[in-house]
Amino acid sequence: MGIQITPSILNSDLSRLADEVARIGSADWVHVDVMDNHFVPNLTFGPTMLESLSRHTDIPLDAHLMIEDPDRTAIEYVEAGCGSVTFHVEAAGAPVRLARELRAHGARAAMALKPATPVEPYEELLPELDMLLVMTVEPGFGGQKFLDLCLPKIRAARQLIEKHGVETWLQVDGGVSLETIERCAEAGADVFVAGSAVYSADDPDRMVQELRAVAEAASSVE
């Protein structure tokens, strides 16, 4: 699978999203932060916007649902055109059932962990997941400082993935930049969400390529 870079459009010019996505042509996915002002103290996008955006890009959409009751509404994001849907285990009532429903509807099923949520209690869920997201900031806002205290959790998650012999991707989200992506890749992450680092750059697509190069170099070190 290799390294994947997934820019977050939360940090882009939200008044011209289609144009902003066109500026990251080298990206593997477009990361869309969905917030409901309940699970996190911010309000952003919904399925209608995602459906519109999906018609204006060939880059697949990766929806990160920071919402209450994802069991009830997650499938709406698949129907809106998302190729990957991530729910928070802290909000899901039946995570295994939800992951299976997402897969049955044709999307990649992913589960997110907030910084204080350990990975070990969810070890047995890994075969049900296409991706595990380890948050490296508290969810809710872009532009936060990377939390180094999450690095041991990334390492633990990678060890559990290898233990079970599954092909679950390991994503990190929060404060990912040229200064932090190397540490994440060395710890075992292979999918990287970067918002501020990409959209604050003069050339966002060049930044995508630079982030990929740094992560690939770090992940190849034995």
Side-chain angles (χ1 to χ4, degrees):
M1 185 275 297
I3 297 297
Q4 299 188 68
I5 305 297
T6 307
S8 169
I9 58 172
L10 185 63
N11 301 92
S12 69
D13 182 347
L14 302 183
S15 69
R16 46 194 296 271
L17 281 180
D19 292 336
E20 291 289 80
V21 170
R23 299 174 70 202
I24 54 169
S26 297
D28 298 285
W29 296 79
V30 176
H31 188 86
V32 184
D33 291 301
V34 177
M35 308 184 201
D36 64 357
N37 206 30
H38 294 284
F39 182 70
V40 293
N42 200 357
L43 183 65
T44 57
F45 315 111
T48 301
M49 188 283 290
L50 283 161
E51 182 178 7
S52 178
L53 183 60
S54 71
R55 294 196 298 267
H56 291 86
T57 182
D58 293 327
I59 306 174
L61 302 183
D62 169 29
H64 177 192
L65 306 185
M66 289 169 273
I67 62 175
E68 291 184 345
D69 199 12
D71 305 77
R72 183 175 60 87
T73 59
I75 301 305
E76 295 178 16
Y77 293 88
V78 184
E79 295 170 344
C82 296
S84 177
V85 176
T86 303
F87 59 88
H88 269 266
V89 71
E90 302 90 353
V96 172
R97 183 176 64 195
L98 179 53
R100 291 179 178 180
E101 287 179 352
L102 289 168
R103 284 176 159 181
H105 281 77
R108 296 183 62 84
M111 187 177 77
L113 306 175
K114 295 169 70 173
T117 303
V119 64
E120 288 81 5
Y122 305 104
E123 175 181 350
E124 300 304 321
L125 272 65
L126 289 174
E128 304 286 346
L129 302 172
D130 296 298
M131 185 168 71
L132 179 69
L133 166 56
V134 173
M135 292 296 298
T136 45
V137 299
E138 290 293 340
F141 295 92
Q144 297 184 63
K145 182 177 174 57
F146 179 84
L147 295 174
D148 280 283
L149 59 85
C150 296
L151 288 170
K153 189 199 297 191
I154 299 170
R155 294 190 187 94
R158 172 53 62 193
Q159 291 171 358
L160 293 176
I161 289 169
E162 293 179 352
K163 172 185 173 181
H164 286 269
V166 292
E167 296 183 0
T168 308
W169 298 351
L170 181 53
Q171 185 181 61
V172 292
D173 179 5
V176 174
S177 67
L178 290 174
E179 290 70 41
T180 61
I181 196 170
E182 182 177 18
R183 300 200 292 277
C184 296
E186 289 174 344
D190 49 23
V191 185
F192 303 88
V193 178
S196 299
V198 170
Y199 278 106
S200 65
D202 292 335
D203 185 341
D205 198 50
R206 177 63 181 271
M207 179 56 68
V208 169
Q209 297 170 36
E210 291 179 3
L211 289 166
R212 190 192 313 280
V214 172
E216 286 177 346
S219 65
S220 65
V221 176
E222 296 296 334

